Amino acid sequence: VVGDSVVQAGSLVRADSLRFDFTARALSAEQLARIASLVNSAATESMPVYVSHMTLAQAQAKGALSVRAERQCATNVRVVAIGAESVELCGGTHLHATRAVFPFQIVAESSVGAGTRRIEAVAGDAAVVWMQQQLAHARAAAAVLGAPSLDTLEPRARLIDAKAKAARDEADRWLSVAASHVADSATLETTLGPTPTCIHVLPSSIDGAAARLVAQRAACLCSAEPKCAHVVICAHCVALSVDPAAIPGAHAGKLLHLLFAKLPGKGGGQDVLAQGRLDAPVNDLPPCVASLACAFK
């Protein structure tokens, strides 16, 4: 399923779960399903599990595999064989027959390090419990999404997701319109380092969309007037946009940190746009605007 180059990198077997580490790239959903199918097929055959002891040379002659063969005692090793499917060196305990691991279900596949993947799974009674839980979750989701049956759950979820995406796109369009038309309550021309900068204070009456609006507004102003950096502030929210092509060497993230030296806050960003949150709000009331001007003298 995965290829001949895969090497086991560790494992853990418990009464209610197991994990298996191996060297490979991320597995696809189809590969995971194929692995689970092969394990379940072997389990339903109820193949006996044989345990024997022999020298390492004898075990290797039988084709036994090992995670760390070089660390095995050469005089006596434990060999576990499952029919003709698997012969391995292993010091752990095992079942009497493969039937005990039916059903087998992979519940997760993830990265645990560079080039190493991990499969987590449940089997036997634990797998039955897990599947019952998943069925309960699916029924609850169907009820919330208004799907009349589990067969219609996925298409119903896709429909709702499509409608939500359309609503988000529409909101973004209106946000762009608002960002290009909102009027500044106050402006201040200054510099951040050597970069000419214009600070724009938006009306404090703007609602919870402020964080997204200030970013859109900063981008709009920078596009219209690229010869300076633009800072847009609304209460605690701040965004800074700059065009490095128009101002060589300018970097929005670095300029935002220069701003925080005057107006304490936290945030960051890339070369074109940076965002953050001020410790103290800045509003459009005259005393606050006057204090802002003093800070940048």
Side-chain angles (χ1 to χ4, degrees):
V1 177
V2 184
D4 296 334
S5 62
V6 173
V7 176
Q8 182 179 344
S11 64
L12 175 66
V13 179
R14 292 175 174 163
D16 59 345
S17 63
L18 63 94
R19 72 171 185 242
F20 183 84
D21 298 344
F22 56 99
T23 58
R25 296 180 179 179
L27 302 185
S28 66
E30 291 75 15
Q31 286 176 307
L32 292 173
R34 177 61 177 157
I35 292 169
S37 177
L38 289 172
V39 174
N40 280 309
S41 177
T44 55
E45 292 179 21
S46 195
M47 292 183 289
V49 177
Y50 298 103
V51 177
S52 58
H53 294 81
M54 61 189 73
T55 65
L56 179 59
Q58 290 173 326
Q60 290 175 333
K62 290 179 176 290
L65 302 176
S66 174
V67 181
R68 300 177 180 88
E70 71 281 0
R71 298 185 185 179
Q72 298 284 346
C73 174
T75 58
N76 191 33
V77 294
R78 186 172 185 268
V79 179
V80 177
I82 303 176
E85 300 293 326
S86 173
V87 181
E88 298 186 28
L89 303 183
C90 185
T93 57
H94 283 268
L95 306 168
H96 295 296
T98 59
R99 181 73 185 182
V101 299
F102 183 83
F104 173 87
Q105 179 64 51
I106 296 174
V107 300
E109 191 269 352
S110 61
S111 171
V112 291
T116 303
R117 307 296 298 181
R118 171 172 292 172
I119 282 178
E120 297 176 66
V122 287
D125 293 342
V128 173
V129 172
W130 183 87
M131 287 187 282
Q132 289 173 338
Q133 292 173 339
Q134 298 308 301
L135 180 58
H137 294 329
R139 286 172 174 164
V144 171
L145 297 179
S149 67
L150 294 184
D151 291 340
T152 61
L153 177 57
E154 183 176 351
R156 178 64 177 172
R158 291 183 183 278
L159 175 62
I160 292 175
D161 182 62
K163 289 183 177 180
K165 183 180 183 303
R168 289 193 298 269
D169 292 343
E170 182 68 11
D172 287 343
R173 283 192 289 270
W174 281 109
L175 188 65
S176 297
V177 172
S180 61
H181 289 83
V182 65
D184 301 333
S185 293
T187 58
L188 174 66
E189 293 185 0
T190 184
T191 58
L192 290 174
T195 305
T197 304
C198 187
I199 299 176
H200 311 260
V201 181
L202 299 186
S204 56
S205 59
I206 293 177
D207 61 15
R212 296 178 64 200
L213 181 60
V214 295
Q216 287 272 12
R217 179 61 176 165
C220 286
L221 291 167
C222 188
S223 178
E225 301 176 42
K227 294 299 183 181
C228 69
H230 292 271
V231 177
V232 179
I233 300 174
C234 181
H236 287 280
C237 300
V238 60
L240 187 152
S241 184
V242 67
D243 184 353
I247 309 176
H251 187 284
K254 295 177 180 178
L255 291 176
L256 185 64
H257 284 289
L258 292 178
L259 179 77
F260 289 151
K262 300 286 187 178
L263 299 175
K266 295 180 180 179
Q270 302 300 317
D271 55 345
V272 175
L273 179 67
Q275 293 179 262
R277 182 175 177 82
L278 300 175
D279 293 343
V282 174
N283 57 47
D284 54 346
L285 297 178
C288 191
V289 174
S291 176
L292 181 65
C294 289
F296 285 89
K297 280 186 176 180

